[in-house]
Amino acid sequence: MDRLDNPPAICLTGLKKRYGTGDAAVDALKGVDMTIWPGEVVGLVGPSGSGKSTLLKCLGAVIEPTAGRMELAGEVIYDDAWKIPDLRALRRDRIGFVFQAPYLIPFLDVTDNVALLPMLAGQDNAAARKRALELLTALDVRHRAGAQVSQLSGGEQQRVAIARSLANHAPVILADEPTAPLDSERALTVVRILNDLARQYRTAIIVVTHDEKIIPTFKRIYHIRDGRTHEEAGEGRAI
Amino acid sequence: MINLAGRDVLHGWGKFLFTGIGLGLLIGATLTMAGVFRGMVDDGQVLIDNSGADLWVVQQGTLGPYAEPSSIRDDAWRGIAGIQGVAETGNAAYLTIQMAHAGKDTRVMIVGIEVDRPETGGRPGAPPYLTAGRPILQGHYEAIADERTGLALGERVKIRRHDYTVVGLTRRMVSSSGDPMIFVPLKDAQEIQFLKDNDALVNERARTAANPAFNRPGIPGLLEAAQASVSQARSVNTVLVRLAPGADAEAVAGEIQRWKRLTAYTKAQMEDILVAKLIATSAKQIGMFLVILAIVTAAIVAFIIYTMTLAKVREIAVLKLIGAKNRIIAGMILQQALALGVIGFLVGRIAAGLWGPAFPKYVLLLPQDALSGFAIVMTICALASSVAIRAALAIDPAEAIGG
Ligand SMILES: Nc1ncnc2c1ncn2[C@@H]1O[C@H](COP(=O)(O)OP(=O)(O)OP(=O)(O)O)[C@@H](O)[C@H]1O
Ligand SMILES: [Mg+2]
């Protein structure tokens, strides 16, 4: 199984993040350890202001941590300083982002919103659109492929956003409250989709959530409080 | 790769087009301003070319007859005609008056020309071509009018004391300040220009009559002779000289100056007076205006592009988050700025072409001005977009994620 022949998809050791300096400094992460394997969907829960979003942003190379170590699939990307030169290429090729509000590009149609990622990575338009349509089919929004973003429902937008996060075969997906704007049925659908994708593509997925309905679905949960994490077994309830 | 700039513009094309049209009207105003300047230069050029003269002989030490008043005796031409290299001379008198016609007050330039030789196309000073009618044949009270005066063939028009019949029409005959010309026989023009009005005449006659010097006993007719001599106009503004083929203008001009106590200008010198000296202040005025319009255009384009970019902060943050390079983001903004410039320029050029003819003075839109205008607009747009590009590149991809 993966744990034997593959390195963890994500491995954090002693990750720290301090916002600001001096009196105004906030220690959002005070030493986070975390290991996530390919194909796993892990919950990240904690009270407001506990550092969940901060953790995802560090992991997604959107903000710079203050100290610690981050590894992606065995490669050290941060060790008290960035270890790779092109963070945008890292985000483009190896991280998928899904947010609470599914920020799609309003002036592109559904297909091109998804196809944009492979295009940015250098694929030609036809191949990128083919990939986009495959993903839209997998996420059951194929019928909306030509629509404008503004014409989609919240759940459809969220599924398009997930399709986009997968478009470059990213081994890691970071989802920050992806179900917040959805009703419980749709929320569970999104979680089921994420679980299916993790199994199918061996993607490691971290889902930040407050949502009581979906917390029982995780097999493993990281609790974060006051900038530190501790791991817990979840119920792993089937959906 | 899809064209993000194009997609964004198409998504909100109405707003973009509207903005482009607004910008276009501003650019149109700028192009028109340049056209006004070109028109002024062209008016001067046309004035020189259409006079049919190679030399202008004027009162010594003046920049006459267009830029300064000049008065020389109307028989000065005799001496000039004798000089080697002079083919033909023509007395000419110019004066600008306000003419009431068809209920409108028009400013016109009255040009007095010698009309003794209509069969050879007239002496220098006569209009070189007519669009309708015939040359002036009578020594009095006939006129050839520029079409812009609004006069029609056969129409009678009152200039000062007399009525004139319009016997011919001509085109693009304007003074250096763009007023349309009316050609009349020299004698009539002299009368209009140099004769005093009736009251002044009566006053002067009474004064002369009361002068005991003119009333000496035993010299009959002295008073009458004196009266006639003061009331007769004997001056013109310039003698226009046409040179014999092969004659050197500079040399002939030098000859005239040496012997006749007059000043003579060649075509090149006249051009310098009209184009460089006479309209120099206006040219600076317009130049100043063009500079301000360029700055205003730059400020507006910068503001528009900046606002358009700020409205896309979230999209740009998402683009950065999913790995778009700065080049792609900067390219998107730059392309939109240039597209705005293209729309603006096209609208401006069309607008200037439409409203140009409605201007009271000649507006000359030169293709080379349009071309440099286009280059300037594109440069301004590119420079103006740099403000927005800097703002866009400073956007934090974390903004796409929020809390
Ligand atoms: N850009 C920032 N500058 C300064 N402090 C920040 C910044 N972003 C977050 N913080 C602080 O860091 C701490 C962690 O914030 P974070 O957004 O990670 O919390 P969270 O767990 O995502 O909360 P929520 O559930 O409300 O989204 C908070 O105290 C917050 O105020
Ligand atoms: Mg948060």
Side-chain angles (χ1 to χ4, degrees), chain A residues 52-133:
Chain A
K52 302 183 294 295
S53 298
T54 303
L55 180 55
L56 288 202
K57 285 178 192 170
C58 288
L59 199 42
V62 179
I63 58 174
E64 186 172 357
T66 315
R69 184 183 167 92
M70 301 197 289
E71 283 170 50
L72 276 189
E75 187 189 353
V76 179
I77 61 164
Y78 183 88
D79 191 1
D80 292 338
W82 291 114
K83 293 295 168 195
I84 48 167
D86 190 348
L87 297 181
R88 273 192 219 184
L90 170 81
R91 293 201 294 264
R92 183 188 67 205
D93 300 332
R94 295 164 70 180
I95 314 274
F97 294 92
V98 183
F99 329 121
Q100 174 173 348
Y103 296 126
L104 302 172
I105 309 282
F107 53 81
L108 300 178
D109 67 14
V110 166
T111 309
D112 283 343
N113 257 286
V114 179
L116 183 60
L117 252 106
M119 287 178 188
L120 287 175
Q123 277 198 38
D124 65 58
N125 291 3
R129 292 210 173 97
K130 186 161 164 281
R131 168 83 181 142
L133 290 176

Side-chain angles (χ1 to χ4, degrees), chain A residues 19 26 28 46-55 177 210, chain B residues 403:
Chain A
Y19 288 111
V26 177
S48 180
S50 55
K52 302 183 294 295
S53 298
T54 303
L55 180 55
E177 307 200 36
H210 285 123

